[in-house]
Coordinates of all heavy atoms in Angstrom, one line a residue:
R43 N 31.2 -52.0 46.2 CA 30.6 -50.7 45.8 C 30.5 -49.7 47.0 O 30.8 -48.5 46.9 CB 29.3 -50.9 45.2 CG 28.6 -49.6 44.7 CD 27.2 -49.9 44.2 NE 26.3 -50.5 45.2 CZ 25.8 -49.8 46.2 NH1 26.0 -48.5 46.3 NH2 25.0 -50.4 47.1
K44 N 30.0 -50.2 48.1 CA 29.9 -49.4 49.3 C 31.2 -48.9 49.9 O 31.4 -47.8 50.3 CB 29.1 -50.1 50.4 CG 27.6 -50.3 50.0 CD 26.9 -51.2 51.1 CE 25.4 -51.3 50.7 NZ 24.7 -52.2 51.6
R45 N 32.2 -49.8 49.8 CA 33.5 -49.4 50.3 C 34.1 -48.3 49.4 O 34.7 -47.3 49.9 CB 34.5 -50.6 50.3 CG 35.8 -50.4 50.9 CD 36.7 -51.6 50.8 NE 37.9 -51.4 51.6 CZ 39.0 -50.9 51.1 NH1 39.0 -50.5 49.8 NH2 40.1 -50.7 51.8
E46 N 33.9 -48.5 48.1 CA 34.4 -47.5 47.2 C 33.7 -46.1 47.4 O 34.3 -45.0 47.2 CB 34.3 -47.9 45.7 CG 35.2 -49.1 45.4 CD 36.7 -48.7 45.5 OE1 37.1 -47.5 45.3 OE2 37.5 -49.6 46.0
A47 N 32.4 -46.2 47.7 CA 31.6 -45.0 47.9 C 32.2 -44.2 49.2 O 32.3 -43.0 49.2 CB 30.2 -45.3 48.1
L48 N 32.5 -45.0 50.2 CA 33.1 -44.4 51.4 C 34.4 -43.8 51.1 O 34.7 -42.6 51.6 CB 33.2 -45.5 52.5 CG 31.9 -45.9 53.2 CD1 32.1 -47.2 53.9 CD2 31.5 -44.8 54.1
L49 N 35.3 -44.4 50.3 CA 36.6 -43.9 50.0 C 36.5 -42.6 49.1 O 37.2 -41.7 49.3 CB 37.4 -45.0 49.3 CG 37.9 -46.1 50.1 CD1 38.6 -47.2 49.3 CD2 38.9 -45.6 51.2
A50 N 35.5 -42.7 48.2 CA 35.3 -41.5 47.3 C 34.8 -40.3 48.1 O 35.3 -39.2 47.9 CB 34.3 -41.8 46.2
T51 N 33.9 -40.6 49.1 CA 33.5 -39.5 49.9 C 34.6 -38.9 50.8 O 34.7 -37.7 50.9 CB 32.4 -40.0 50.9 OG1 31.2 -40.4 50.1 CG2 31.9 -39.0 51.9
A52 N 35.4 -39.8 51.3 CA 36.6 -39.4 52.1 C 37.5 -38.5 51.3 O 38.0 -37.5 51.8 CB 37.3 -40.6 52.7
R53 N 37.8 -38.9 50.1 CA 38.7 -38.1 49.2 C 38.1 -36.7 49.0 O 38.8 -35.7 49.0 CB 38.9 -38.8 47.9 CG 39.7 -40.1 48.0 CD 40.1 -40.6 46.6 NE 40.6 -41.9 46.6 CZ 39.9 -43.0 46.4 NH1 38.6 -42.9 46.1 NH2 40.4 -44.2 46.5
E54 N 36.8 -36.6 48.7 CA 36.2 -35.3 48.5 C 36.3 -34.5 49.8 O 36.6 -33.3 49.7 CB 34.7 -35.5 48.1 CG 34.5 -36.2 46.8 CD 33.0 -36.4 46.5 OE1 32.2 -36.1 47.3 OE2 32.7 -37.0 45.4
V55 N 36.0 -35.0 50.9 CA 36.1 -34.3 52.2 C 37.6 -33.9 52.4 O 37.8 -32.7 52.8 CB 35.6 -35.1 53.3 CG1 35.8 -34.4 54.7 CG2 34.1 -35.4 53.1
F56 N 38.5 -34.7 52.1 CA 39.9 -34.4 52.2 C 40.2 -33.2 51.4 O 40.9 -32.2 51.8 CB 40.8 -35.5 51.8 CG 41.2 -36.5 52.9 CD1 40.9 -37.9 52.7 CD2 41.7 -36.1 54.1 CE1 41.3 -38.8 53.6 CE2 42.1 -37.0 55.0 CZ 41.8 -38.4 54.8
D57 N 39.8 -33.2 50.1 CA 40.2 -32.1 49.2 C 39.5 -30.8 49.6 O 40.1 -29.8 49.4 CB 39.7 -32.5 47.8 CG 40.6 -33.4 47.0 OD1 41.8 -33.4 47.4 OD2 40.2 -34.1 46.1
A58 N 38.4 -30.9 50.2 CA 37.7 -29.7 50.7 C 38.3 -29.2 52.0 O 37.9 -28.1 52.4 CB 36.2 -29.9 50.9
G59 N 39.1 -30.0 52.6 CA 39.8 -29.6 53.9 C 38.9 -29.7 55.1 O 39.2 -29.1 56.1
G60 N 37.8 -30.5 55.0 CA 36.9 -30.6 56.1 C 36.9 -31.9 56.9 O 35.9 -32.3 57.6
F61 N 38.0 -32.7 56.7 CA 38.0 -34.0 57.3 C 37.8 -34.0 58.8 O 37.2 -34.9 59.4 CB 39.3 -34.7 56.9 CG 39.4 -36.2 57.3 CD1 38.8 -37.1 56.4 CD2 40.0 -36.6 58.4 CE1 38.9 -38.4 56.7 CE2 40.1 -38.0 58.7 CZ 39.5 -38.9 57.9
F62 N 38.4 -33.0 59.5 CA 38.3 -32.9 60.9 C 37.0 -32.3 61.4 O 36.7 -32.3 62.6 CB 39.5 -32.1 61.5 CG 40.8 -32.8 61.3 CD1 41.7 -32.2 60.4 CD2 41.2 -34.0 61.9 CE1 42.9 -32.8 60.1 CE2 42.4 -34.6 61.7 CZ 43.3 -34.0 60.8
D63 N 36.2 -31.7 60.5 CA 35.0 -31.0 60.9 C 33.8 -31.9 61.0 O 32.8 -31.6 61.6 CB 34.7 -29.9 59.9 CG 35.8 -28.8 59.9 OD1 36.4 -28.6 60.9 OD2 36.0 -28.2 58.8
L64 N 33.9 -33.1 60.4 CA 32.8 -34.0 60.4 C 32.9 -35.0 61.5 O 34.0 -35.5 61.9 CB 32.8 -34.8 59.0 CG 32.4 -34.1 57.8 CD1 32.5 -35.1 56.6 CD2 31.0 -33.5 57.9
R65 N 31.7 -35.4 62.0 CA 31.7 -36.6 62.9 C 32.0 -37.8 62.0 O 31.7 -37.8 60.8 CB 30.3 -36.7 63.5 CG 29.9 -35.7 64.5 CD 28.6 -36.0 65.1 NE 27.6 -36.3 64.1 CZ 27.0 -37.5 64.0 NH1 27.3 -38.5 64.8 NH2 26.0 -37.6 63.0
F66 N 32.6 -38.8 62.6 CA 33.0 -39.9 61.8 C 31.8 -40.6 61.1 O 31.8 -41.0 60.0 CB 33.7 -41.0 62.7 CG 34.3 -42.1 61.9 CD1 35.1 -41.9 60.7 CD2 34.1 -43.4 62.3 CE1 35.6 -42.9 60.0 CE2 34.7 -44.5 61.6 CZ 35.4 -44.2 60.4
D67 N 30.6 -40.6 61.9 CA 29.4 -41.2 61.3 C 28.9 -40.5 60.1 O 28.2 -41.1 59.3 CB 28.3 -41.3 62.4 CG 28.6 -42.3 63.5 OD1 29.6 -43.0 63.4 OD2 27.8 -42.4 64.4
D68 N 29.3 -39.2 60.0 CA 28.8 -38.4 58.8 C 29.3 -38.9 57.5 O 28.7 -38.7 56.5 CB 29.2 -37.0 59.0 CG 28.4 -36.3 60.1 OD1 27.3 -36.8 60.4 OD2 28.8 -35.2 60.6
F69 N 30.4 -39.6 57.5 CA 31.0 -40.2 56.3 C 30.0 -41.2 55.7 O 29.9 -41.3 54.5 CB 32.3 -40.8 56.5 CG 33.4 -39.8 56.7 CD1 33.9 -39.4 57.9 CD2 34.1 -39.2 55.6 CE1 34.9 -38.5 58.1 CE2 35.1 -38.3 55.7 CZ 35.5 -37.9 57.0
A70 N 29.4 -42.0 56.6 CA 28.4 -42.9 56.1 C 27.2 -42.2 55.4 O 26.8 -42.6 54.3 CB 27.9 -43.8 57.3
R71 N 26.7 -41.2 56.1 CA 25.6 -40.5 55.5 C 25.9 -39.9 54.2 O 25.1 -40.0 53.2 CB 25.1 -39.4 56.5 CG 24.0 -38.5 56.0 CD 23.7 -37.4 57.0 NE 24.8 -36.6 57.4 CZ 25.3 -35.6 56.7 NH1 24.7 -35.3 55.5 NH2 26.3 -34.9 57.1
L72 N 27.0 -39.2 54.0 CA 27.4 -38.6 52.8 C 27.7 -39.6 51.7 O 27.4 -39.4 50.5 CB 28.7 -37.8 53.0 CG 28.5 -36.5 53.9 CD1 29.9 -35.9 54.1 CD2 27.6 -35.5 53.2
A73 N 28.1 -40.8 52.1 CA 28.4 -41.9 51.1 C 27.1 -42.7 50.7 O 27.1 -43.5 49.8 CB 29.4 -42.8 51.6
G74 N 26.0 -42.4 51.5 CA 24.8 -43.1 51.2 C 24.8 -44.6 51.7 O 24.1 -45.4 51.1
V75 N 25.5 -44.8 52.8 CA 25.6 -46.2 53.3 C 25.2 -46.1 54.8 O 25.2 -45.0 55.4 CB 26.9 -46.9 53.1 CG1 27.3 -46.9 51.6 CG2 28.0 -46.1 53.9
G76 N 25.0 -47.2 55.4 CA 24.7 -47.3 56.8 C 26.0 -47.2 57.7 O 27.1 -47.5 57.2
T77 N 25.8 -46.7 58.9 CA 26.9 -46.6 59.8 C 27.6 -47.9 60.1 O 28.8 -48.0 60.3 CB 26.5 -45.9 61.1 OG1 25.5 -46.7 61.7 CG2 26.1 -44.5 60.9
G78 N 26.8 -49.0 60.1 CA 27.4 -50.3 60.3 C 28.3 -50.7 59.2 O 29.4 -51.3 59.4
T79 N 28.0 -50.3 58.0 CA 28.9 -50.5 56.8 C 30.2 -49.8 57.0 O 31.3 -50.3 56.7 CB 28.2 -50.1 55.5 OG1 27.0 -50.9 55.3 CG2 29.1 -50.3 54.3

Side-chain angles (χ1 to χ4, degrees):
R43 179 186 60 77
K44 291 177 179 178
R45 185 179 189 276
E46 291 300 323
L48 286 164
L49 288 172
T51 296
R53 289 188 193 98
E54 291 175 3
V55 174
F56 272 127
D57 280 336
F61 191 80
F62 296 109
D63 298 330
L64 288 179
R65 294 182 310 114
F66 188 48
D67 288 0
D68 287 339
F69 286 96
R71 175 179 57 80
L72 291 173
V75 303
T77 55
T79 298

